């Protein structure tokens, strides 16, 4: 691609990204001014492996921690998570996944752990340099005292910042909006919303690094809770 074409593509990409980033920052500043914003950090590493043409596996470990414990800046571990997904490719645009997830908070005295089972349908489509994704998830969250059933829908878009194709050493942007609905026999149904924006780098053919922000508005139909996550992750492809 010519330099002029790359420049025009970069300007077009940023034209889409800047309003989305401004919207997220506006949300964060508005809830922060209410003095009820919880700051969190989340670091993860995941390994992807394509076992066959139509079957792939993913294993991941994640650490979550408070960045403002007791309303002051600092660090306090909340939990560790381990999870696995098996994905079956239906065709070029559609796939199905089954997952199992384990959360441990007992080690840090921050709550109870859980085991989670996930069923997922994913649809993605490429249009020029932009990739659009629709993800639907059903989850069964098994805790000591109850089981929570949660339904999720996420719309996502990602695109390279240089040219129409992501090359080694180049950055890309990712943005997503997700809605969640949780219910159980013991609790009032709960509605949540999540907004995610990240920048990533294709370090090599097998390694991606990502960092960004996630804003969560939880239980807004009951008593709204606001939290902002600093995300860091590494994705390894074997």
């Amino acid at each position: 691609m010519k330099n002029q074409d790359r420049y025009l593509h970069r300007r077009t990409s940023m034209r889409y990204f800047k309003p989305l980033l401004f919207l997220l920052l506006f949300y964060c500043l508005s809830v922060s001014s209410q003095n009820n914003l919880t700051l969190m950090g989340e670091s993860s590493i995941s390994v992807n492996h394509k076992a066959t043409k139509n079957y792939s596996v993913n294993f991941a470990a994640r650490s979550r921690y408070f960045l403002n414990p007791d309303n002051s800046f600092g660090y306090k571990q909340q939990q560790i998570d381990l999870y696995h997904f098996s994905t079956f490719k239906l065709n070029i645009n559609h796939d199905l996944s089954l997952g199992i997830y384990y959360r441990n908070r007992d080690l840090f005295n921050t709550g109870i752990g859980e085991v989670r089972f996930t069923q997922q349908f994913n649809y993605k489509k490429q249009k020029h340099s932009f990739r659009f994704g629709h993800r639907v998830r059903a989850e069964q969250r098994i805790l000591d005292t109850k089981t929570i059933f949660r339904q999720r829908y996420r719309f996502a878009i990602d695109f390279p910042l240089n040219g129409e194709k992501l090359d080694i050493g180049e950055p890309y942007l990712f943005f997503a909006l997700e809605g969640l609905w949780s219910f159980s026999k013991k609790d009032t149904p709960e509605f949540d919303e999540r907004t995610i924006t990240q920048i990533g780098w294709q370090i090599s053919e097998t390694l991606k690094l990502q960092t960004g922000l996630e804003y969560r508005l939880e239980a807004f139909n009951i008593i709204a809770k606001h939290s902002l996550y600093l995300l860091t992750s590494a994705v390894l492809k074997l």
Side-chain angles (χ1 to χ4, degrees):
M1 180 176 286
K2 297 180 180 179
N3 290 335
Q4 184 177 3
D5 293 335
R6 287 179 178 267
Y7 174 73
L8 291 175
H9 175 83
R10 187 181 301 112
R11 287 192 62 184
T12 301
S13 300
M14 293 306 295
R15 184 181 65 184
Y16 284 96
F17 176 70
K18 286 181 178 179
L20 300 178
L21 180 60
F22 175 79
L23 180 62
L24 177 62
L25 292 176
F26 175 78
Y27 281 154
C28 297
L29 291 174
S30 64
V31 297
S32 178
S33 65
Q34 300 171 19
N35 198 31
N36 64 347
L37 180 69
T38 301
L39 298 178
M40 305 289 296
E42 195 169 84
S43 303
S44 66
I45 181 169
S46 62
V47 178
N48 300 320
H49 175 62
K50 189 174 182 179
T52 68
K53 180 181 178 180
N54 296 316
Y55 174 66
S56 60
V57 295
N58 167 267
F59 295 92
R62 183 171 64 191
S63 171
R64 183 181 296 176
Y65 37 91
F66 296 97
L67 295 177
N68 64 337
D70 303 320
N71 296 319
S72 62
F73 286 98
Y75 172 90
K76 180 181 178 181
Q77 187 72 30
Q78 184 191 41
Q79 67 194 47
I80 55 173
D81 304 321
L82 301 172
Y83 52 95
H84 159 73
F85 275 95
S86 289
T87 299
F88 304 88
K89 185 177 180 180
L90 303 179
N91 54 44
I92 191 171
N93 292 325
H94 304 82
D95 57 61
L96 290 174
S97 300
L98 300 175
I100 184 170
Y101 171 105
Y102 169 72
R103 168 178 291 173
N104 191 310
R105 289 180 174 176
D106 297 330
L107 287 175
F108 313 104
N109 297 316
T110 55
I112 59 176
E114 70 176 86
V115 174
R116 184 182 308 174
F117 296 98
T118 302
Q119 304 81 44
Q120 173 179 296
F121 173 76
N122 191 55
Y123 167 74
K124 57 184 180 296
K125 185 176 182 179
Q126 188 87 22
K127 187 174 182 181
H128 302 297
S129 61
F130 297 90
R131 184 172 62 173
F132 303 90
H134 301 269
R135 189 183 74 183
V136 179
R137 274 185 178 181
E139 296 177 334
Q140 302 81 50
R141 304 178 58 189
I142 303 173
L143 293 81
D144 291 341
T145 59
K146 59 184 176 182
T147 297
I148 301 173
F149 298 91
R150 184 161 69 178
Q151 320 303 316
R152 307 171 60 163
Y153 166 73
R154 189 187 77 174
F155 170 75
I157 179 173
D158 65 84
F159 51 89
L161 284 177
N162 299 321
E164 294 189 0
K165 182 177 178 294
L166 184 62
D167 296 316
I168 303 301
E170 293 185 344
Y172 61 91
L173 293 173
F174 172 86
F175 178 81
L177 289 170
E178 185 172 23
L180 302 89
W181 172 41
S182 302
F183 60 92
S184 67
K185 290 183 178 180
K186 298 184 177 182
D187 299 319
T188 301
E190 177 181 313
F191 295 93
D192 308 327
E193 186 275 331
R194 298 179 183 180
T195 305
I196 305 169
T197 182
Q198 293 191 88
I199 184 170
W201 292 269
Q202 184 73 50
I203 303 300
S204 67
E205 291 184 359
T206 59
L207 177 63
K208 289 182 179 180
L209 299 180
Q210 299 179 153
T211 186
L213 298 173
E214 177 179 348
Y215 167 68
R216 294 187 180 184
L217 174 59
E218 299 178 299
F220 60 80
N221 62 312
I222 307 174
I223 300 178
K225 293 184 255 184
H226 308 271
S227 54
L228 180 65
Y229 285 72
L230 174 63
L231 307 175
T232 54
S233 63
V235 182
L236 182 63
K237 181 179 178 182
L238 299 181

